[in-house]
């Protein structure tokens, strides 16, 4: 018995090692295959990603809650300390805002009157979905957020993601109960924008730095730092006029935009559902293919 | 009979410990913390786990488990599918073959080895990410991430070793 067992062992060990090596190489090949498949934008990969994200979303949501509670407690203490100065600042702000309110009312009335004269057909209703950020770590080479709202809540790919102060990204992947927002600072982010004052169109391109760049601006255009950049609405996915940020620097690398959003503490985001239930009127300025695709989605 | 089953279940649960802990660390690492910019430089807990277990108990964290960990990290962090998977597998493959010199050595030797492995992994990650993007991506966050990973390694080793002592002593 014993010698026989020994001889099996003699063959088994190298065989096992060879099998292990083979399995390892297959796994490496599998990883490379996944990268290539993902690069080719395979639906399969996206389904896998969405399924996994959906499965982990409840766990992440549960874990994010205590963190948020701790943060709120810290905020509370901080707020108490700054109560006086905060009050003073708010009173000043309030006075300023009252002036703006007056102006806005005047302009709204004027706008309404002008629209009536022009028989302007308004775009479809705009609805917003609020989602909580349940994962924010994109790692070193990605800028994205995971939000706890999905198709069930009316989220669809391409919708604009906004925090109080401005646009922060768009929905890139959407599952049943979770979705991933690609931030405007990400390498792959391209947003059609317009310079608010001059109405020059451009593309806002992220490059993983905090300040995304403006591409395709007309040559020789000089914009002062502080000029506001808003979405242009080109392509139809975004509502026009969403504030994004201001020109931060004008240098050799082109113009860079300082986003309004405060990246360090994004807890809730607003996802703007724009035109999904919109009217397909004859005066609709949106390109037909985009609308068709969006309308076709269940 | 029942006792035998319980023993087997107990053993299975213990053998699952390295993978379960690593997966938990991957999930925890994407939870938003109230620290500005933390999300960009979260240390790579998966890398520490793979390095540790590839040296100490590669039998309990087989290559397939590393593949799953990498994939999970890719999907939860939103990086290109397969990127972390490939980096972790390569680290695992190298460490499994080179584990002998580290076994039974003081912790400083392990950490020193990690000072070679972690930057190499970061560099590989950056290289693959750049190749995928078609241009060189900024590397400063990866650099800070690598430093944090190196700095936190002793604490995580302590955790892994404590777990190994508690759950895997009998194996």
């Amino acid at each position: 018995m014993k010698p026989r067992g020994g001889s099996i062992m003699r063959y088994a060990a190298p065989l096992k090692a060879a099998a292990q090596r083979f399995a390892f190489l297959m796994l490496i090949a599998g990883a490379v295959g996944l990268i290539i498949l993902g690069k080719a934008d395979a639906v399969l990969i996206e389904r896998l990603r969405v399924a996994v994200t959906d499965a982990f979303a409840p766990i992440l949501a549960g874990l994010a809650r205590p963190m948020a509670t701790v943060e709120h407690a810290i905020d509370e203490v901080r707020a108490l300390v700054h109560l006086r100065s905060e009050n003073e600042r708010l009173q000043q702000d309030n006075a300023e805002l009252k002036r703006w309110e007056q102006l806005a009312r005047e302009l709204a009335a004027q706008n309404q009157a002008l629209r009536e004269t022009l028989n302007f057909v308004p775009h479809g209703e705009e609805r917003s979905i609020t989602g909580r950020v349940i994962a924010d770590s994109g790692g070193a080479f990605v800028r994205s957020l995971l939000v706890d709202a999905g198709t069930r809540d009316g989220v669809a790919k391409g919708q604009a993601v906004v925090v109080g102060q401005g646009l922060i990204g768009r929905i890139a992947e959407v599952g049943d109960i979770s979705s991933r927002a690609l931030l405007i600072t990400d390498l792959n982010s391209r947003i059609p924008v317009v310079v608010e004052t001059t109405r020059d169109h451009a593309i806002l391109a992220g490059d993983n730095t905090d300040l995304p760049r403006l591409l395709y601006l007309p040559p020789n255009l000089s914009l002062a730092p502080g000029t506001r950049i808003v979405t242009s609405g080109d392509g139809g996915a975004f509502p026009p006029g969403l504030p994004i940020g201001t020109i931060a620097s004008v240098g050799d690398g082109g113009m860079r935009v300082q986003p309004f959003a405060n990246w360090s503490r994004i807890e809730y985001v607003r996802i703007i559902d724009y035109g999904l239930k919109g009217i397909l009127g004859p005066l609709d300025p949106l390109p037909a293919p985009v609308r068709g695709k969006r309308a076709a989605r269940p | 009979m029942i006792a035998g089953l319980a023993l087997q279940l107990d053993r299975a649960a213990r053998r699952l410990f390295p993978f379960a802990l690593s997966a938990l660390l991957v999930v925890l690492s994407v939870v938003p913390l109230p620290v500005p910019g933390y999300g960009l430089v979260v240390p790579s807990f998966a890398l520490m786990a793979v390095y540790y277990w590839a040296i100490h108990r590669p039998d309990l964290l087989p290559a397939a488990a590393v593949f799953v960990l990498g994939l999970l990290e890719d999907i939860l962090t939103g990086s290109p599918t397969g990127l972390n998977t490939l980096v972790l597998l390569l680290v695992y493959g190298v460490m499994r073959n080179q584990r002998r010199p580290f076994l039974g050595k003081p912790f400083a030797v392990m950490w020193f080895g990690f000072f070679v492995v972690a930057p190499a992994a970061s560099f590989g990650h950056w290289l693959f990410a750049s190749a995928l993007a078609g241009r060189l991506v900024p590397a400063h966050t990866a650099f800070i991430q690598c430093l944090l990973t190196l700095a936190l390694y002793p604490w995580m080793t302590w955790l892994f070793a404590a777990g190994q002592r508690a759950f895997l002593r009998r194996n």
Side-chain angles (χ1 to χ4, degrees):
Chain A
M1 258 341 246
K2 210 171 180 190
R4 213 175 131 211
S7 75
I8 287 177
M9 280 309 287
R10 208 182 321 147
Y11 292 115
L15 261 180
K16 197 181 165 199
Q20 254 183 8
R21 191 150 301 157
F22 180 70
F24 180 72
L25 288 178
M26 288 311 288
L27 287 169
I28 293 272
V32 174
L34 281 176
I35 294 178
I36 294 168
L37 262 179
K39 185 77 181 165
D41 245 356
V43 186
L44 199 69
I45 296 282
E46 199 182 314
R47 282 215 188 117
L48 170 79
R49 296 183 70 103
V50 163
V52 173
T53 332
D54 262 0
F56 278 87
I59 304 173
L60 287 169
L63 288 170
R65 212 171 278 271
M67 290 299 172
T69 313
V70 171
E71 193 177 356
H72 286 156
I74 296 170
D75 275 354
E76 202 80 348
V77 174
R78 197 176 290 157
L80 276 177
V81 173
H82 296 294
L83 211 55
R84 254 183 102 94
S85 57
E86 185 75 1
N87 190 26
E88 209 165 289
R89 192 182 64 79
L90 285 175
Q91 275 177 359
Q92 276 175 10
D93 274 7
N94 201 24
E96 175 87 350
L97 287 173
K98 273 191 177 140
R99 277 200 313 121
W100 279 108
E101 191 202 357
Q102 188 58 36
L103 191 63
R105 279 176 193 282
E106 281 169 30
L107 287 174
Q110 192 186 43
N111 200 3
Q112 184 65 34
L114 288 173
R115 281 182 179 194
E116 274 163 19
T117 357
L118 287 172
N119 288 326
F120 180 83
V121 178
H123 192 274
E125 246 177 77
E126 187 179 309
R127 200 170 67 90
S128 72
I129 305 144
T130 305
R132 204 154 58 88
V133 175
I134 52 173
D136 74 344
S137 149
F141 303 116
V142 192
R143 303 286 181 268
S144 69
L145 299 174
L146 211 57
V147 181
D148 72 344
T151 34
R152 209 182 49 178
D153 313 283
V155 179
K157 233 191 211 179
Q159 286 171 351
V161 182
V162 172
V163 291
Q165 307 90 329
L167 181 86
I168 60 163
R170 68 179 165 82
I171 297 294
E173 284 172 356
V174 54
D176 265 352
I177 54 169
S178 67
S179 49
R180 183 171 293 283
L182 190 74
L183 301 181
I184 53 175
T185 48
D186 188 273
L187 206 61
N188 294 312
S189 168
R190 299 285 182 277
I191 309 278
V193 297
V194 64
V195 181
E196 200 181 50
T197 44
T198 66
R199 309 310 292 175
D200 282 304
H201 286 243
I203 295 285
L204 186 73
D207 57 1
N208 279 11
T209 62
D210 288 344
L211 308 175
R213 280 191 318 154
L214 280 179
L215 303 180
Y216 311 123
L217 268 176
N220 306 326
L221 178 74
S222 68
L223 295 170
T227 310
R228 276 166 60 98
I229 303 295
V230 300
T231 55
S232 68
D234 292 343
F238 285 7
L242 281 178
I244 298 179
T246 55
I247 299 277
S249 67
V250 185
D252 297 336
M255 289 186 211
R256 289 186 175 272
V257 173
Q258 170 74 56
F260 288 124
N262 177 4
W263 300 110
S264 59
R265 35 181 57 224
I266 297 177
E267 204 182 321
Y268 288 92
V269 296
R270 225 152 33 89
I271 300 162
I272 296 188
D273 178 2
Y274 182 68
L276 259 180
K277 296 181 188 70
I279 41 158
L280 277 162
L283 290 179
D284 196 324
L286 298 173
V290 177
R291 302 276 303 167
K293 227 168 93 189
R294 288 168 66 81
R297 201 175 290 121
Chain B
M1 183 69 187
I2 299 280
L5 184 70
L7 197 70
Q8 269 186 1
L9 275 178
D10 178 64
R11 195 168 294 161
R14 283 167 192 274
R15 291 178 67 85
L16 220 78
F17 169 73
F19 176 72
L21 178 63
S22 310
L24 178 72
L25 285 173
V26 169
V27 173
L28 283 179
S29 67
V30 298
V31 174
L33 284 193
V35 180
Y38 172 77
L40 305 180
V41 296
V42 189
S44 175
F45 294 111
L47 182 70
M48 303 184 213
V50 166
Y51 177 81
Y52 182 91
W53 295 111
I55 291 175
H56 290 95
R57 289 304 295 271
D59 55 322
L60 296 188
L61 194 70
V66 175
F67 184 88
V68 173
L69 279 181
L71 200 57
L72 183 65
E73 194 176 25
D74 277 329
I75 294 176
L76 290 187
T77 59
S79 21
T81 324
L83 192 58
N84 279 307
T85 320
L86 185 61
V87 172
L88 287 182
L89 271 175
L90 290 176
V91 167
Y92 178 79
V94 171
M95 289 326 293
R96 198 179 56 180
N97 285 330
Q98 302 298 321
R99 57 192 284 255
R100 300 271 165 229
F102 293 98
L103 284 174
K105 292 279 159 43
F107 167 73
V109 178
M110 282 275 297
W111 202 17
F112 178 77
F114 198 62
F115 265 84
V116 177
V117 169
S122 281
F123 180 72
H125 203 159
W126 172 78
L127 207 64
F128 293 141
S130 296
L132 269 176
R135 65 194 138 131
L136 300 181
V137 296
H140 55 281
T141 42
F143 182 71
I144 299 170
Q145 182 178 43
C146 182
L147 290 183
L148 272 178
T149 307
L150 287 171
L152 280 184
Y153 181 72
W155 307 100
M156 296 313 292
T157 302
W158 178 83
L159 177 72
F160 296 145
Q164 194 180 5
R165 272 198 302 277
F167 295 113
L168 303 168
R169 193 163 23 178
R170 283 185 302 171
N171 292 29

